[in-house]
Amino acid sequence: AAKPFARFQTTFFKNAVPVTDCLPFPTERPPAPSAHIFKDKTMNRETLLSQVAELVKTKLKPLVDEIDRNGLYPEDFMRELGAIGGFGAVGTEAEGGNGLGLATQIAVLREVGKECGATSFSAWCQAACAWYLHQTPNQAVKDKYLADILQGKVLAGTGMSNTVKHLAGIEKHNLQAERVDGGYKVNGALPWVSNIGEDHIWANTAQIGDGYVMFITGGQWEGVTLQACPEFCALEGTRTFSLNFKDVFIPDEDVIAAPEQFSDYISSIKSGFILLQIGIGAGVIDGSLGIIRIANVVNAEVNSYLDDSYDSLKAALDEAWQTTERLADLAWNNTPDNLATLKLRAAAAELTLAAAQSAALHAGAKGYLMRSPAQRRVREAMFVAIVTPALKHLRKEIAALEAA
């Protein structure tokens, strides 16, 4: 029999507070909604996830190979996902969303990731930008942009990787700002920013003296240049570009957090920003479990000698998911537990890597074929472990917090 998945039965998971008031997230796809549900203005978690599952099945699944192999960006799917409320959980009804909360938004990303990790990441970029605007203390920028992002009318990215790494002492800050009349002037370059384009917008932060200013900018802003990146081994269909800023003017009305607001503000978004990424990993794990289940139809006996079985991986995922929902509720209610969030995100990266590798081993030679989803899931899992905050970054921050 397969060995227990012991390395993920950590003290952290064992001590996690059980979630008894959150809906369980099924491994199997929920039933397709009837047509009238899409026209129903009422929205709850079950309805939304059913709609997302149906949209993923009918509009995203047929495109997955094209996204993975040829870098197709599924723009129509992204906009339709927004139209049915797929980004709206991180905004209140007054803001133009559905108010279902951070835990529901993470579940949406998981549903997308069951079929395509790349598109789940693109959807994470959109949801993260919406989360920033939901949390901003500045009403002008919220009123200007948030509703359109929540509803998928405008597609949005997040250019915060450099800032997050800089604040952890890993990188120098690449964007620099100076105060000018009516706003800020920004110069610098960023190597990789995703879910962007000429008609997209995104969030960035620039250093100004000893402080920072966070703001919205876009592909049509004067002085902003998008450049193609070197080819990646996966996630090519995410509209990822390098950015150059040359004397880019940022008006005060586009500021998400001014220098005097930034310290409190970044603390208010950090946990949610990180927890949303667990939706990507959970989806990749779900897809990997599906591969294992199919492989075991014929080869269950020999597969039982592998370290990580379907049951052990599924048990670890279910436990991590309960903790995700608990921490997401805390972040949504502005009482985040940042250390627990970092630990969970690190464990989720490790679990995603293990699940994808196990799926490839269960599939055997068939999983090594380009047409097999097993090799794609391995590449997607690598991304979950290296996207900011990467596993090594998470461990650095955890060690610093525990030593304090």
Side-chain angles (χ1 to χ4, degrees):
K3 299 176 184 177
F5 199 49
R7 64 185 179 279
F8 292 104
Q9 306 308 312
T10 61
T11 301
F12 171 65
F13 282 148
K14 288 178 180 177
N15 293 338
V17 176
V19 180
T20 56
D21 57 348
C22 291
L23 294 167
F25 194 96
T27 299
E28 301 300 326
R29 187 180 301 280
S34 56
H36 76 274
I37 290 179
F38 290 93
K39 298 180 180 180
D40 189 351
K41 293 183 178 180
T42 63
M43 180 65 70
N44 57 39
R45 179 180 168 116
E46 298 97 326
T47 300
L48 175 60
L49 294 179
S50 292
Q51 291 187 19
V52 171
E54 180 65 11
L55 187 67
V56 167
K57 179 181 177 181
T58 58
K59 298 297 181 69
L60 180 61
K61 186 176 181 179
L63 302 176
V64 170
D65 285 343
E66 189 73 11
I67 292 167
D68 181 56
R69 299 187 196 181
N70 298 320
L72 172 72
Y73 176 70
E75 180 171 342
D76 289 346
F77 170 82
M78 291 286 290
R79 293 190 183 279
E80 289 185 61
L81 183 61
I84 66 170
F87 305 119
V90 287
T92 65
E93 291 185 9
E95 292 168 341
N98 53 48
L100 293 177
L102 195 64
T104 298
Q105 189 64 63
I106 298 167
V108 169
L109 299 177
R110 179 178 179 177
E111 193 65 50
V112 176
K114 286 182 181 181
E115 290 296 343
C116 182
T119 306
S120 182
F121 171 63
S122 295
W124 170 80
C125 295
Q126 181 91 7
C129 192
W131 172 244
Y132 304 153
L133 290 165
H134 169 73
Q135 293 290 91
T136 181
N138 300 326
Q139 196 64 38
V141 70
K142 179 182 289 190
D143 290 345
K144 186 174 180 180
Y145 296 111
L146 180 53
D148 284 346
I149 295 174
L150 291 169
Q151 296 164 20
K153 295 176 181 177
V154 171
L155 297 176
T158 167
M160 289 292 290
S161 175
N162 172 240
T163 298
V164 173
K165 287 187 278 189
H166 170 76
L167 294 173
I170 298 172
E171 291 184 352
K172 69 179 183 66
H173 207 279
N174 291 346
L175 296 185
Q176 300 293 319
E178 61 179 288
R179 185 70 168 143
V180 296
D181 186 32
Y184 299 84
K185 184 168 66 175
V186 176
N187 284 279
L190 294 173
W192 298 308
V193 181
S194 299
N195 204 49
I196 65 173
E198 293 294 339
D199 59 347
H200 295 213
I201 62 174
W202 57 87
N204 284 126
T205 295
Q207 190 172 29
I208 179 167
D210 294 330
Y212 306 90
V213 57
M214 187 168 169
F215 54 90
I216 291 288
T217 190
Q220 297 184 6
W221 270 238
E222 185 176 355
V224 174
T225 305
L226 282 67
Q227 295 181 327
C229 294
E231 185 178 4
F232 299 114
C233 72
L235 282 93
E236 276 287 281
T238 57
R239 299 219 61 170
T240 299
F241 295 91
S242 63
L243 293 175
N244 285 291
F245 288 71
K246 177 63 176 175
D247 294 332
V248 177
F249 176 66
I250 307 298
D252 287 330
E253 66 182 18
D254 287 352
V255 170
I256 297 173
E260 67 274 12
Q261 300 169 323
F262 185 81
S263 179
D264 289 340
Y265 174 75
I266 198 73
S267 295
S268 78
I269 65 170
K270 184 172 183 176
S271 182
F273 164 91
I274 294 171
L275 287 167
L276 283 164
Q277 293 179 342
I278 293 177
I280 309 170
V284 173
I285 296 168
D286 283 326
S288 299
L289 289 172
I291 294 166
I292 292 171
R293 186 170 57 243
I294 292 171
N296 282 344
V297 171
V298 175
N299 292 313
E301 191 275 333
V302 69
N303 282 342
S304 70
Y305 291 93
L306 293 171
D307 289 340
D308 301 327
S309 69
Y310 178 96
D311 290 340
S312 62
L313 291 163
K314 178 66 166 56
L317 174 60
D318 289 346
E319 195 166 0
W321 190 252
Q322 282 194 328
T323 307
T324 300
E325 294 206 316
R326 178 178 65 85
L327 293 176
D329 287 343
L330 290 176
W332 179 248
N333 290 297
N334 292 311
T335 56
D337 186 336
N338 285 333
L339 178 57
T341 295
L342 292 169
K343 288 183 175 182
L344 175 66
R345 174 65 176 85
E350 293 167 353
L351 181 58
T352 306
L353 288 168
Q357 176 178 276
S358 187
L361 295 175
H362 276 75
K366 292 180 180 178
Y368 208 61
L369 298 173
M370 277 303 297
R371 67 172 182 264
S372 169
Q375 50 80 28
R376 170 170 59 86
R377 292 305 191 178
V378 170
R379 291 182 281 113
E380 291 174 347
M382 287 172 56
F383 180 80
V384 173
I386 64 173
V387 66
T388 304
L391 183 55
K392 58 189 177 182
H393 176 165
L394 292 161
R395 290 176 178 173
K396 174 181 169 67
E397 288 206 35
I398 291 166
L401 286 173
E402 290 184 332

